[in-house]
Amino acid sequence: FNGTEFNADILQDSLGTEVAQASIKDSRGVLWFGYQSGDIAKYDGTAFYTIRTGVGITSAVTGFAALEDGNLIVSTQSNGLFNLNVQTGTANPVSGIDQGLFTALSVKGKMLLLGSMDGLTIYTIDGTGTGAEVLIKIPEFDLIKIQEIQPSYAENTFWIATEEDGIFRITLKGSTYDLTKT
């Protein structure tokens, strides 16, 4: 309203116009947002910035996980996993990850838990966060969509939420595990 008339035109800012599907607060207090369009943005406490990662993320960002060095792992619905350098905003693919429609992830130490439309796979991730190796594919979750993965306070234990089969607790013991449905 300019005093005499209403204007319905909306000027878009630099942020994605689609739904923010994932978010995380990094070790420096910066908020990161992943959009269904594949865009990534950050809020540093004073302003929002669209991040130009240098890689072609064209599918939904489905999750973020913090690495010990402060960088982030970014999962996408169909473009794979990326290591995002929080200082530069650039990203590199994480090698050694099986192709999938990724829906959730969690990192604790050198363990990467990756949920997909087809189940749950546990990887070991290298110190730089750019390479991973399959440790265990959990057969009890074959063809089950993983909705969310959250670490527990108990050592090497995670909560796994599925789309149709409820919530599970998994405790990892090297290359074996205990799985309990709650």
Side-chain angles (χ1 to χ4, degrees):
F1 183 72
N2 67 6
T4 59
E5 61 185 22
F6 287 94
N7 183 345
D9 293 336
I10 297 174
L11 299 175
Q12 291 296 331
D13 59 16
S14 62
L15 296 179
T17 58
E18 297 209 22
V19 174
Q21 187 162 318
S23 64
I24 191 170
K25 184 177 185 179
D26 73 17
S27 60
R28 300 173 305 142
V30 175
L31 297 173
W32 295 84
F33 300 93
Y35 292 89
Q36 286 181 345
S37 64
D39 290 341
I40 296 175
K42 72 176 184 177
Y43 177 71
D44 66 2
T46 58
F48 282 95
Y49 303 93
T50 299
I51 304 303
R52 304 287 177 231
T53 61
V55 293
I57 301 175
T58 58
S59 69
V61 174
T62 57
F64 292 102
L67 296 170
E68 291 176 343
D69 66 2
N71 288 329
L72 301 175
I73 295 291
V74 180
S75 64
T76 67
Q77 189 170 21
S78 59
N79 289 130
L81 253 61
F82 297 90
N83 179 312
L84 179 65
N85 182 312
V86 297
Q87 299 293 328
T88 65
T90 58
N92 292 299
V94 177
S95 65
I97 301 294
D98 296 334
Q99 189 66 314
L101 297 173
F102 302 128
T103 55
L105 81 154
S106 184
V107 173
K108 194 169 186 182
K110 300 293 182 211
M111 279 189 290
L112 166 67
L113 284 76
L114 186 58
S116 71
M117 299 291 285
D118 298 322
L120 178 67
T121 305
I122 316 298
Y123 294 85
T124 56
I125 193 160
D126 66 22
T128 64
T130 57
E133 186 176 316
V134 174
L135 180 63
I136 315 166
K137 172 112 174 93
I138 310 298
E140 290 88 346
F141 292 120
D142 282 352
L143 303 177
I144 295 174
K145 181 181 178 187
I146 306 301
Q147 290 287 102
E148 185 66 46
I149 304 167
Q150 289 293 323
S152 169
Y153 291 113
E155 187 174 342
N156 296 328
T157 301
F158 298 84
W159 294 99
I160 311 297
T162 67
E163 184 172 71
E164 295 180 5
D165 289 354
I167 299 172
F168 295 81
R169 184 180 67 229
I170 188 167
T171 302
L172 303 173
K173 301 174 178 183
S175 60
T176 64
Y177 57 93
D178 289 330
L179 185 65
T180 307
K181 186 172 182 171
T182 59

